Amino acid sequence: MFVSDQHYVPGLLAYPMHGQRKLTAEGYRTRDGHLIEWFGRTLTTEGVVAVVSRPDPWFDRGRSGAALLAAPGTYPVSSVSFRLPDLRSRQAWWHTSARAYPPIPPAADRVPAVVWNPFVATAPAGRSPFDGRRVVLDLLDDWSTHFAFAPIRAQVEDAYAQAFRAATHVTANGEGTMELASRFGRDDVVFLPNGCDPLRFSTDSVASGATTVGYVGKIGRRLDLEGIVATARALPSVEFVFAGPILDSAYRAPLAATPNITLVGDVHYRDVPELLRSFDAGWVPHHVGVGEVGGDVIKTYEYRAAGLVTLTTPIAGAGARGLDGVTVADMNDHAAVLRSWIQPDRRIARRPGVIPAESTWEHKAQTMLDLLSA
């Protein structure tokens, strides 16, 4: 719930995709997390940012994020639903829980909001931030095409319809989410691709042993499993490191069975900069077309902030974000590209570059705040 003082007025309401528990556990590594961190830093003189989590089932309420673990300048707001989750569909909780978002205190009636979870728009009157305030709807991925939301596609479409209709402003992180907004009649979208915090990363290398090509991110259907295994087998002297949670169990066995692929598991975001120092090159082996979900890839910015030359498949936006040091090639050509980078008895050279100011999370957070105050 919101803090008990009914006169408490936050500077901003923020409705992340999941909530405080996930933000804390992962280290604010997602787009909504990075932006919430910067909102908290930017609005220090205007009250804290109230981060309103997706409601938890009543029996899970003890695991909500604690205020002491929240980013500076933010305050976690939790709530519970007394509905029981549908055991036949985990995804159904996205729309059934929306009715349990906490009531917004009257004192915060005019406080603006940033929303990443479109299901917030289906919350009842008095609980939905879309009622009578300025709202930025920030698009992460196109959930209407995302494989994870396939079982509730009709509910996703309904939530989007309500959110797009009520949002004051819409920002989109990629070409696919721009198309999503256009499909719902929003042609006033602000294009705001992903970015990074350059100062978190070091271009100093501590790589040792075999040439190391690294990937940091979720391991699932967005990745070209067949292409990854084929590339690794074509370069047996190269070590391929995958850091991230395995979302699709079918990926574990083929990756683990390839001798020069190492799965290091999920990595908290505070440890990612040091991990990147141990890589020689950054890799984005994503599917093109089928498997894309309309968003932008954060890891490309982080690889380049660490000075890593980066190889990516031609996904939407690849090579078009003002970043140097990024090679775009079809998956079938990745082994040849990597082979051309490798020299006997020498590591792949770091290639420090400049992350444009407009590609920083600070700039993107300020852009959203400017929209809300215009």
Side-chain angles (χ1 to χ4, degrees), residues 219-221 223 225 229 242 244-258 261-266:
I219 301 170
R221 296 187 195 180
L223 297 186
L225 178 60
V229 172
F242 283 78
I246 297 179
L247 303 184
D248 204 321
S249 59
Y251 276 59
R252 183 182 299 276
L255 294 175
T258 306
I261 290 180
T262 299
L263 302 174
V264 300
D266 204 357

Side-chain angles (χ1 to χ4, degrees), residues 106-122:
D109 273 351
R110 296 295 178 181
V111 174
V114 179
V115 174
W116 290 274
N117 181 348
F119 284 102
V120 172
T122 69

Side-chain angles (χ1 to χ4, degrees), residues 207-242:
S208 61
T211 297
T212 303
V213 175
Y215 169 88
V216 179
K218 297 173 182 176
I219 301 170
R221 296 187 195 180
R222 293 179 72 177
L223 297 186
D224 185 341
L225 178 60
E226 182 178 345
I228 290 169
V229 172
T231 302
R233 288 177 176 171
L235 299 170
S237 64
V238 176
E239 184 74 16
F240 293 85
V241 174
F242 283 78

